[in-house]
Amino acid sequence: MAMKWMVRRFSVLVMTGVLLSGCGMAGGGGKGSDSAMDMRGAAQYSDEILDVTIGAVKPKIQWAHDDTTTGTCDVTRRRTVMTVISEQRRGNFLGVIENFWKNSGYKIVSVNESKDSPAIFATTPNGFGVNLTIGDKGQAYLEVNTPCVRKSEVDAPSTPPNGPGYEGVEIPRPNVRSDFWSADTPLPAPSSSATA
């Protein structure tokens, strides 16, 4: 399992290097016509971002692909978390994602500290926007927005969901309970001896 995560992490780092070397990509300027990346590649890179972000969450969560949308030169990939994130554990969940993004070199742009619908918005060093929002009944949504790149066709995501796919039907409210993420009790505060 650790090896699989390392391979994916290496893949993302390699792709980041490719993107950073592309002209016009990191700055987000222009139409992306100078960039070596097209919409298909940007969508695949977005999938990698989502893969490693979800992989950083322990205990693991169940998720499904949500809609992919395309603009004239950009792509948005979405995933919906099917695991119930209780109100008492939302802060922990948001913290895991925020810390992972910071440790990956992402810039946290803003944090919505709303009790009902908290969210985190960040950008990668190469101009991809990422966000996590918590919606109704503790359902979490992850989204990646690409910068403007060369126009091309976009493939469906290749990573299979780790639960039902819900292709062609409306994704239901979160319906998977986790002993950890769905618990109705807050995590105990660390003891003073653990921090000494």
Side-chain angles (χ1 to χ4, degrees), residues 40-181:
R40 176 180 285 115
Q44 291 169 349
Y45 179 65
S46 298
D47 292 335
E48 291 283 344
I49 291 173
L50 291 165
D51 286 345
V52 296
T53 297
I54 289 171
V57 178
K58 305 290 186 240
K60 73 177 185 174
I61 52 171
Q62 191 175 111
W63 61 273
H65 288 291
D66 209 326
D67 294 336
T68 294
T69 54
T70 58
T72 55
C73 63
D74 61 306
V75 182
T76 299
R77 286 284 214 223
R78 298 176 180 89
R79 292 187 188 178
T80 298
V81 175
M82 301 311 302
T83 301
V84 176
I85 310 298
S86 71
E87 183 179 331
Q88 292 80 2
R89 299 294 171 97
R90 287 177 196 168
N92 303 103
F93 185 76
L94 290 153
V96 167
I97 302 291
E98 182 175 0
N99 287 336
F100 176 74
W101 285 348
K102 284 179 178 176
N103 291 335
S104 299
Y106 299 4
K107 177 183 178 184
I108 304 302
V109 176
S110 67
V111 176
N112 178 355
E113 296 181 2
S114 162
K115 180 181 176 185
D116 297 324
S117 53
I120 303 170
F121 300 88
T123 56
T124 68
N126 45 5
F128 282 65
V130 294
N131 64 69
L132 164 66
T133 57
I134 305 287
D136 190 38
K137 301 189 184 302
Q139 192 155 44
Y141 303 91
L142 285 157
E143 182 176 286
V144 179
N145 304 293
T146 76
C148 185
V149 293
R150 284 189 300 111
K151 189 168 181 62
S152 72
E153 295 298 314
V154 174
D155 298 327
S158 60
T159 305
N162 62 355
Y166 302 108
E167 290 89 359
V169 298
E170 186 175 344
I171 297 175
R173 293 291 183 229
N175 55 20
V176 177
R177 291 203 63 85
S178 160
D179 290 342
F180 184 83
W181 294 116

